[in-house]
Amino acid sequence: MIPEAFDNTTLPPIFISNDYSLSYQEVFSIIYSTALKLEEENKNIAVLCDNSPESALLILAIIHSGSRAAMLNIREGETSISEQLNNVGCDIMITDRKDFSLPGIKVVNIADLISIPKCSELPKDIQPEIGTRPGGTIFFTSGSSGRAKAVFHEWGQHIKSAAGANENIPLEIADRYLLSLPLYHVGGFAILIRCLISGASVFFPAKNGRLEETIIDNGITHISLVETQLKRLLETEKGISALKQLKHILVGGGPVSGSLIKASIENGLKLHTSYGSTEMASQICTTSTYNIEELKTSGRVLKYREIEIDDSREILVKGQTLFRGYISEGKIIKNIDNEGWYHTGDCGYFDSNKRLIVTGRIDNMFISGGENIHPEEIEKALTSLEFVDFAVVIPVADDEFGKRPIAYIKTDMEIPSREEFKNLLQGKLAPFKIPDRFYPVPKNYQQKGIKPDRHFFRSLFQKQ
């Protein structure tokens, strides 16, 4: 795993938290010893854990043993988890939750497998690499139906993904990458791999720590954020100071509003916008410069990936980072066409400088009075307003136009009228794209991933 260009015995710690500081040798000694404790190879082993050095070590140990680590969203309910495990054929789960049980599933507590304080007792001659027959990962990603798909990658595809990403956003041995995204999300897992192959350190933040304080107090140099996190940091002086400390800021999970890009440039931030997918092991395209025109795009295609735009403007992808397929009822189902392209369901085009511009989802687009409407375009315009923290747009039936957009927004102030929104969005949206109605996002809404749960809001509207 470790490139020959550097000596792992002289590297700074690879895993750092408030409680632990682990060297490469310690990390791979734990991985090796934990892998020996796991059951036979070629199994799907579920992981239900918060971000921690222990959970990262566990995932890598599962892969080292030749099995597949099925990463479960810690926000999912037991019914959903059971459905996912039955679908991929998991009969064993490792968790950090106490007294957790599921019918038909063998549940093991992570503390019974990994004890970091005892790492000094482990052998120090372990080679820092994943085993000769490495396993892989399973990430669950929801489609427009709300049903989770089980995305299977082999280890090598994550390595190629990390290598291409590191060529565009360099990671050096003295750098520290904050694990600011969950490991059950492919973007969080990508941070881990990018550091492992570069010699940089992964910093595991405290569970309830403030993001800006974590960055400042721990010498963080790199971070991956979603738009909401960036917006919150830009709202305070301390947040801006933290962002200015960073060498690189990668923003993913969807388009970034023009107002945030402008604020980032005005503050001299090293911002990167991107386009990625779980099926392609994280980033596909990413910007490399910090001018406003480039940041309004998703950047150029990274190494080891390929993109094609078909006649309907759908984005097709393939390359050395492409997943092996979806796992359904225990079987791997390849989801590519005859030429090896995966059809993303996203729409977009390349500008004159070969930078990708994503316009929306095919399955989200709807027709209103003969006009094509992409909810993502409206959401981007709404979140460009300073008082809107979050927005989701869905279509509803309309007698005159067939379908019309409505919006759910999150704001600390009273929701303006549609006429007020018309004035605020003038020049940003065509009048027919202004939602007919605006509702508050329910206080109990919890986003399970980095993209809005449209299925939830469609169901919510039907109940109103």
Side-chain angles (χ1 to χ4, degrees), residues 42 46 49 97 155 190 217 275 312 319 337 442 457 464:
N42 300 317
C49 295
R97 298 182 183 182
W155 174 245
D217 294 344
Y275 168 70
S312 66
D337 64 21
F457 287 98
Q464 288 181 325

Side-chain angles (χ1 to χ4, degrees), residues 132-195:
T132 55
R133 290 194 295 158
T137 61
I138 300 170
F139 288 94
F140 295 94
T141 179
S142 295
S144 58
S145 66
R147 183 178 179 183
K149 297 177 181 178
V151 181
F152 167 47
H153 280 99
E154 293 176 345
W155 174 245
Q157 289 148 2
H158 289 296
I159 295 293
K160 289 297 185 183
S161 175
N166 284 357
E167 284 199 17
N168 185 60
I169 301 178
L171 267 173
E172 299 175 353
I173 289 173
D175 289 333
R176 286 189 177 189
Y177 210 128
L178 182 65
L179 190 62
S180 48
L181 299 175
L183 284 170
Y184 60 75
H185 185 274
V186 73
F189 186 70
I191 294 171
L192 194 66
I193 309 307
R194 289 183 63 189
C195 290

Side-chain angles (χ1 to χ4, degrees), residues 1 29 40 46 67 86 100 116 129 158 164 181 196-197 247 283 297 393 403 409 426 438 443:
M1 169 178 291
S29 291
E40 69 270 18
S67 294
N86 288 335
F100 186 83
I116 288 178
E129 60 185 3
H158 289 296
L181 299 175
L196 285 173
I197 69 169
K247 293 168 66 173
Q283 298 172 64
T297 76
V393 173
K403 290 182 179 178
I409 67 170
Q426 191 171 5
F438 295 85
K443 291 182 179 180

Side-chain angles (χ1 to χ4, degrees), residues 271-329:
L271 190 71
H272 300 267
T273 51
S274 68
Y275 168 70
S277 75
T278 303
E279 287 81 359
M280 285 289 282
S282 192
Q283 298 172 64
I284 302 170
C285 298
T286 305
T287 56
S288 56
T289 65
Y290 311 118
N291 70 75
I292 194 165
E293 292 307 316
E294 175 153 356
L295 289 171
K296 287 181 179 178
T297 76
S298 296
R300 295 182 178 86
V301 182
L302 299 179
K303 192 174 180 180
Y304 307 118
R305 294 90 158 152
E306 297 177 52
I307 287 187
E308 183 176 275
I309 309 295
D310 72 6
D311 293 339
S312 66
R313 283 202 166 183
E314 183 177 8
I315 300 170
L316 314 184
V317 295
K318 66 179 179 180
Q320 296 181 57
T321 71
L322 182 64
F323 73 137
R324 284 289 176 248
Y326 295 117
I327 298 182
S328 181
E329 297 181 359

Side-chain angles (χ1 to χ4, degrees), residues 10-217:
T10 62
L11 293 175
I14 176 65
F15 284 5
I16 304 172
S17 71
N18 291 332
D19 300 316
Y20 305 116
S21 180
L22 301 177
S23 69
Y24 263 89
Q25 287 300 135
E26 288 169 331
V27 161
F28 281 93
S29 291
I30 296 171
I31 290 171
Y32 180 77
S33 63
T34 304
L36 294 177
K37 298 176 186 177
L38 299 172
E39 296 185 10
E40 69 270 18
E41 298 176 351
N42 300 317
K43 291 180 71 69
N44 297 331
I45 301 176
V47 178
L48 183 68
C49 295
D50 285 315
N51 278 11
S52 68
E54 290 89 347
S55 60
L57 291 163
L58 171 65
I59 293 163
L60 294 170
I62 292 170
I63 296 169
H64 181 85
S65 74
S67 294
R68 300 165 183 159
M71 262 75 95
L72 296 170
N73 188 328
I74 60 173
R75 294 182 176 180
E76 292 283 6
E78 291 184 13
T79 300
S80 178
I81 288 173
S82 293
E83 290 175 354
Q84 291 173 11
L85 297 189
N86 288 335
N87 184 42
V88 301
C90 272
D91 56 12
I92 180 172
M93 173 196 287
I94 303 172
T95 182
D96 57 6
R97 298 182 183 182
K98 294 181 179 180
D99 303 320
F100 186 83
S101 63
L102 280 176
I105 303 293
K106 178 183 177 182
V107 178
V108 178
N109 193 280
I110 191 171
D112 296 333
L113 289 171
I114 296 176
S115 178
I116 288 178
K118 294 183 178 180
C119 65
S120 60
E121 303 170 10
L122 297 168
K124 301 300 181 185
D125 57 349
I126 303 299
Q127 288 298 311
E129 60 185 3
I130 295 295
T132 55
R133 290 194 295 158
T137 61
I138 300 170
F139 288 94
F140 295 94
T141 179
S142 295
S144 58
S145 66
R147 183 178 179 183
K149 297 177 181 178
V151 181
F152 167 47
H153 280 99
E154 293 176 345
W155 174 245
Q157 289 148 2
H158 289 296
I159 295 293
K160 289 297 185 183
S161 175
N166 284 357
E167 284 199 17
N168 185 60
I169 301 178
L171 267 173
E172 299 175 353
I173 289 173
D175 289 333
R176 286 189 177 189
Y177 210 128
L178 182 65
L179 190 62
S180 48
L181 299 175
L183 284 170
Y184 60 75
H185 185 274
V186 73
F189 186 70
I191 294 171
L192 194 66
I193 309 307
R194 289 183 63 189
C195 290
L196 285 173
I197 69 169
S198 66
S201 301
V202 184
F203 188 88
F204 294 79
K207 188 173 182 180
N208 297 314
R210 292 185 63 84
L211 192 53
E212 60 270 35
E213 292 174 358
T214 302
I215 294 169
I216 293 169
D217 294 344

